[in-house]
Amino acid sequence: MILSCFITVPAFAAVSVNVAKSGTDLDAQLQKTKQSCGDISNDLAGLKSMAGIGAVATGAGTVAGGVALGTGLAKASVDTNVAQLEQSLKKLEEKQNSASQQYDKIMLSDDIFRECPALVAAYGNMQGAELEQSKVQSQIDAGNEKSKSLGNVRTGAMGAAAVTDTVGTVLAANNRVDDVLQSKIDSCVMNVKKLKDAYNAARVEASADTETMQRVDNIVRACGEWENVDLSSINKKATGATISGGTGAALAIAGLFTSASANSNKVRTDDSDAGRAKEKNLNTAANVLAGGTTIASAVSTVFNATQISSIKKAADVAATCEEALQ
């Protein structure tokens, strides 16, 4: 009986040591988990904020591109009308010249009094042609002024799109999950797994109180959701926004210079066939570039919006995890 007591006591003492060690491991791992998972939401908040700013920037680029396109199309309509008026003016000039020649011919005739009725009619035709010509010329001048103004608006809108799309592109290029944030999340996932192991060990050995066990269980459930978060989608959306935003910026810059060239006095005042063809081609190209800018900017805005959605999902997991760690 005495020998049995000496054998039993050391065995009981060893179990007590193991139980105490298990409880200590759970507390230590809980602290490590809090350290690794406790400050991720701040980084994600920064990403979400930048994605929002990027979406606003490229959204403004979309609007500016749309304004440039709409203005360019309106300008094209005005230019077409001016061209038609110029054709009418040319015919009126021919009519006026013809009437003037007829009037001069009658004035130079020997029998001017006999030709008096014809003289009066010729003079009336000449005066009427001059008045109509003056009226059409006024319409042409007003049309050219409006065309010039619309061209300036288009150029300005393209410049605005170039700036906003460039800003959006720079933001998108840098708004991604970097190695530092990725390592934080990887560390959190790893420590949550270790916490789960420590939790299972403590439950088997009954080495922690009920309150602690319930708290650890909540943490494991909440923070374990990090394993289901697809962080790669955030970076994919950033790449998409960067490419489309960069495309929009490049098209806007090209459109800016093309529109400015088309609306320059040197091009507008060249009345030769080659000059008119050049102006028309430049205006068409500027409108096409404005349309391309609008589309590319809109695509970039969509990428930014979907990136915000992906970041929000990760931020929700971070918030729930950090709430459980409190």
Side-chain angles (χ1 to χ4, degrees), residues 286-306:
N287 290 343
V288 170
L289 289 168
T293 298
T294 304
I295 294 172
S297 300
V299 171
S300 183
T301 303
V302 171
F303 273 117
N304 279 314
T306 54

Side-chain angles (χ1 to χ4, degrees), residues 3-321:
L3 181 59
S4 175
C5 287
F6 278 112
I7 293 174
T8 303
V9 171
F12 178 77
V15 171
S16 298
V17 171
N18 287 336
V19 169
K21 183 176 184 301
S22 178
T24 303
D25 287 346
L26 182 62
D27 291 337
Q29 187 55 47
L30 179 57
Q31 292 303 314
K32 290 180 180 179
T33 304
K34 289 178 67 175
Q35 291 175 359
S36 63
C37 299
D39 194 33
I40 297 175
S41 60
N42 287 335
D43 294 329
L44 291 171
L47 289 177
K48 184 179 179 182
S49 176
M50 288 299 101
I53 296 173
V56 171
T58 53
T62 304
V63 173
V67 169
L69 177 59
T71 305
L73 293 176
K75 182 182 185 304
S77 177
V78 171
D79 289 343
T80 299
N81 186 51
V82 168
Q84 292 173 346
L85 288 171
E86 288 175 341
Q87 288 296 319
S88 297
L89 180 62
K90 186 177 180 180
K91 292 180 180 179
L92 286 172
E93 289 174 344
E94 293 173 351
K95 180 180 178 181
Q96 194 271 341
N97 288 334
S98 176
S100 179
Q101 290 173 4
Q102 183 181 10
Y103 179 80
D104 292 340
K105 181 178 179 181
I106 295 173
M107 286 291 290
L108 294 173
S109 68
D110 295 333
D111 196 4
I112 188 171
F113 292 105
R114 186 174 61 81
E115 299 290 346
C116 188
L119 179 65
V120 172
Y123 182 78
N125 290 336
M126 183 176 65
Q127 289 295 99
E130 286 179 353
L131 289 173
E132 192 172 356
Q133 182 180 340
S134 177
K135 180 180 178 181
V136 173
Q137 184 62 58
S138 296
Q139 293 176 337
I140 291 173
D141 292 341
N144 281 329
E145 185 177 350
K146 184 176 182 180
S147 174
K148 178 77 172 178
S149 178
L150 288 171
N152 288 335
V153 172
R154 180 182 62 190
T155 302
M158 293 301 286
V163 172
T164 53
D165 279 352
T166 298
V167 171
T169 300
V170 172
L171 290 174
N174 293 283
N175 199 48
R176 57 183 63 245
V177 178
D178 58 19
D179 292 340
V180 175
L181 179 55
Q182 184 65 61
S183 64
K184 282 184 180 181
I185 296 173
D186 290 342
S187 176
C188 175
V189 172
M190 178 187 68
N191 279 291
V192 170
K193 289 180 179 179
K194 290 182 177 180
L195 182 62
K196 184 176 181 180
D197 293 339
Y199 168 83
N200 290 332
R203 185 174 62 177
V204 170
E205 297 165 358
S207 59
D209 59 80
T210 303
E211 184 179 350
T212 299
M213 292 294 287
Q214 183 60 53
R215 182 188 178 198
V216 171
D217 182 56
N218 290 338
I219 292 171
V220 169
R221 291 177 182 275
C223 300
E225 284 299 313
W226 274 119
E227 292 189 68
N228 301 321
V229 175
D230 181 16
L231 295 172
S232 65
S233 66
I234 296 176
N235 289 352
K236 288 177 181 178
K237 300 301 186 339
T239 299
T242 301
I243 294 173
S244 54
T247 301
L251 291 173
I253 291 171
L256 167 64
F257 288 107
T258 304
S259 179
S261 178
N263 212 42
S264 65
N265 289 331
K266 180 180 179 180
V267 172
R268 291 181 64 88
T269 56
D270 187 350
D271 290 331
S272 66
D273 291 340
R276 290 177 180 274
K278 180 179 180 181
E279 181 182 4
K280 183 177 181 180
N281 291 337
L282 285 172
N283 278 313
T284 300
N287 290 343
V288 170
L289 289 168
T293 298
T294 304
I295 294 172
S297 300
V299 171
S300 183
T301 303
V302 171
F303 273 117
N304 279 314
T306 54
Q307 187 190 38
I308 291 173
S309 178
S310 296
I311 294 172
K312 186 178 183 302
K313 291 178 181 179
D316 289 343
V317 171
T320 303
C321 173

